[in-house]
Amino acid sequence: MAQVEILKKKSTTSKENLQTDRQTGQFPRTRMRRGRRTEGIRNLVRENILETRNLILPVFVEEGLDERVAIKSMPGVFRETETSVVDIAKTAQKEKLGALMLFGVSHHKDNTGSDSMRSGGLLGRMVSRVRDACPDLVVMADLCFCEYTDHGHCGPLTKSGTVDNDATLENISRQAVIAAEAGADIVAPSGMMDGQVGAIRDALDGSGFDETAILAYAAKYASNFYGPFRDAAGCSLQKGDRKTYQMDSANGDEALREVALDIAEGADMVMVKPGLPYMDIIWRVKQEFRMPTFAYNVSGEYAMLRFAAEAGALDYEKTMMEMLLGFKRAGADGILSYAALDAARILQR
Ligand code: PBG
């Protein structure tokens, strides 16, 4: 009661207060709960909405498998075979997902990742299988070398053991052309090499693929949240870490520079990765550049939720939908998520 009186008194005639009053009103005339009273009213004033077209499903395709294999650290996610990936793609198309992002799990690793640069290799094969089976599905191909090199780094190594930036540009450009030839709508370089977007744009244009789009993993952090992915894609590092090419999680301004460079080099869309611990970066990137902006809700984020749900601590479906909507509120136009199909099914019902 006393507090009501105080608030009433505060709402005086000073110019400043009137301004605030007009913008936000004041208790007790203003009661925010009126906007939340019924489901109908809540629907009416809702600001953000998640749609299936906002969801991009990452899919692992392993060569040489007879049957799809469950990934222990990511309950509900499988390494698909080169046949079962077609079923997943058809389901994704039926559920009207925004796109599929394909990752290869190679059995032909060497020190450069050469399998991904030849036309009969896994990268080209998986893209064309999905392309042929689902002409209307948007197909994205992740471009990187960690899934194809025996040392697990995202490009060939120099003598001192760091990734050779400029040699990687040549190689990743070959990957881009292979993926485009196979029918990828969008190529997504994730290696965090300087100049990779420009090199890929030149290579695509030089090979007649000026219509193939580039989604740049523009602000990709050296993150512990990739743990389950490295297990899933079989790309754990033999030695070292990725801190000389992926970003330091302490930095925000640097992400804006990374994004600006990628846009200048010809990126059509940009991505922030991981998602949950980098919501501020998603927001800043969207506000600053107004580009199609995607968030990668990575393997560790998915695993946290799954295992918490298995332990009975969280409701998987409800928490997952809240998390995905959070990305939209932060400014993401789309979200790459291992829960994309689950979310789509929930949205359809
Ligand atoms: C490859 C790549 C990684 C992820 C996507 N592409 C792993 C890494 O950079 O170590 C991680 C995705 C995830 O954790 O879900 N460069």
Side-chain angles (χ1 to χ4, degrees):
M1 207 38 198
Q3 210 175 353
V4 174
E5 289 308 314
I6 291 165
L7 282 165
K8 272 186 188 162
K9 270 212 188 99
K10 261 202 186 158
S11 146
T12 54
T13 54
S14 89
K15 252 191 186 164
E16 220 169 64
N17 276 357
L18 272 181
Q19 191 67 22
T20 324
D21 281 5
R22 250 178 247 131
Q23 279 164 357
T24 65
Q26 249 187 15
F27 181 78
R29 282 189 190 152
T30 297
R31 289 179 184 270
M32 296 303 285
R33 289 179 59 184
R34 286 183 203 123
R36 302 173 195 143
R37 193 172 57 83
T38 65
E39 187 163 3
I41 295 174
R42 290 194 294 275
N43 287 340
L44 191 66
V45 301
R46 182 161 298 127
E47 297 172 39
N48 291 287
I49 169 166
L50 182 70
E51 296 172 288
T52 55
R53 70 183 180 91
N54 303 133
L55 299 166
I56 301 164
L57 180 70
V59 179
F60 302 104
V61 184
E62 181 166 357
E63 60 187 340
L65 283 186
D66 296 328
E67 263 178 61
R68 66 207 288 250
V69 179
I71 299 164
K72 273 208 199 82
S73 55
M74 301 174 73
V77 180
F78 294 78
R79 294 180 182 194
E80 303 297 334
T81 71
E82 290 187 56
T83 308
S84 68
V85 64
V86 169
D87 304 331
I88 293 283
K90 284 184 178 158
T91 309
Q93 187 174 249
K94 197 181 102 228
E95 299 286 349
K96 301 197 163 52
L97 291 191
L100 221 60
M101 173 75 89
L102 296 171
F103 292 93
V105 184
S106 175
H107 288 194
H108 292 89
K109 300 187 186 206
D110 57 22
N111 60 0
T112 59
S114 63
D115 181 70
S116 63
M117 295 183 267
R118 58 181 195 91
S119 54
L122 176 60
L123 173 63
R125 290 200 311 272
M126 69 185 179
V127 171
S128 59
R129 287 217 75 144
V130 172
R131 170 77 302 145
D132 293 349
C134 303
D136 298 328
L137 184 65
V138 177
V139 179
M140 298 179 169
D142 178 84
L143 301 185
C144 196
F145 286 93
C146 56
E147 304 104 293
Y148 300 97
T149 52
D150 48 18
H151 44 71
H153 275 288
C154 301
L157 302 179
T158 60
K159 281 197 190 91
S160 63
T162 62
V163 175
D164 186 336
N165 191 89
D166 299 8
T168 306
L169 299 188
E170 272 176 47
N171 292 356
I172 206 165
S173 301
R174 289 199 196 107
Q175 276 190 336
V177 173
I178 293 289
E181 268 169 1
D185 298 290
I186 300 170
V187 294
S190 65
M192 286 301 280
M193 294 300 125
D194 289 317
Q196 63 183 6
V197 172
I200 288 169
R201 186 71 272 158
D202 288 346
L204 289 173
D205 292 353
S207 305
F209 295 109
D210 51 285
E211 294 199 326
T212 306
I214 301 175
L215 163 58
Y217 284 69
K220 177 175 176 179
Y221 287 86
S223 172
N224 298 299
F225 286 91
Y226 305 150
F229 174 94
R230 290 178 186 166
D231 173 32
C235 63
S236 298
L237 287 176
Q238 299 299 319
K239 230 175 39 207
D241 55 40
R242 295 185 215 272
K243 289 183 181 169
T244 67
Y245 42 106
Q246 298 180 350
M247 284 181 59
D248 181 341
S249 57
N251 298 350
D253 293 342
E254 188 189 349
L256 299 188
R257 291 185 68 200
E258 284 282 5
V259 173
L261 283 166
D262 283 358
I263 295 169
E265 288 175 31
D268 300 286
M269 311 157 189
V270 297
M271 191 202 295
V272 174
K273 179 186 174 182
L276 285 183
Y278 300 89
M279 288 284 196
D280 57 325
I281 307 299
I282 299 167
W283 172 260
R284 289 178 70 183
V285 166
K286 187 62 180 182
Q287 295 304 311
E288 181 82 16
F289 300 103
R290 295 276 152 197
M291 289 282 287
T293 303
F294 295 87
Y296 201 139
N297 181 213
V298 302
S299 58
E301 301 169 36
Y302 174 82
M304 285 199 302
L305 178 54
R306 274 289 191 181
F307 288 118
E310 278 184 12
L314 289 174
D315 179 299
Y316 169 66
E317 292 197 346
K318 289 182 181 155
T319 314
M320 180 253 293
M321 296 308 275
E322 179 180 339
M323 179 164 81
L324 295 174
L325 185 59
F327 287 114
K328 285 215 65 183
R329 201 188 56 248
D333 298 291
I335 306 119
L336 289 102
S337 171
Y338 300 96
L341 271 180
D342 293 338
R345 290 190 186 109
I346 293 168
L347 289 171
Q348 307 282 14
R349 72 186 184 224

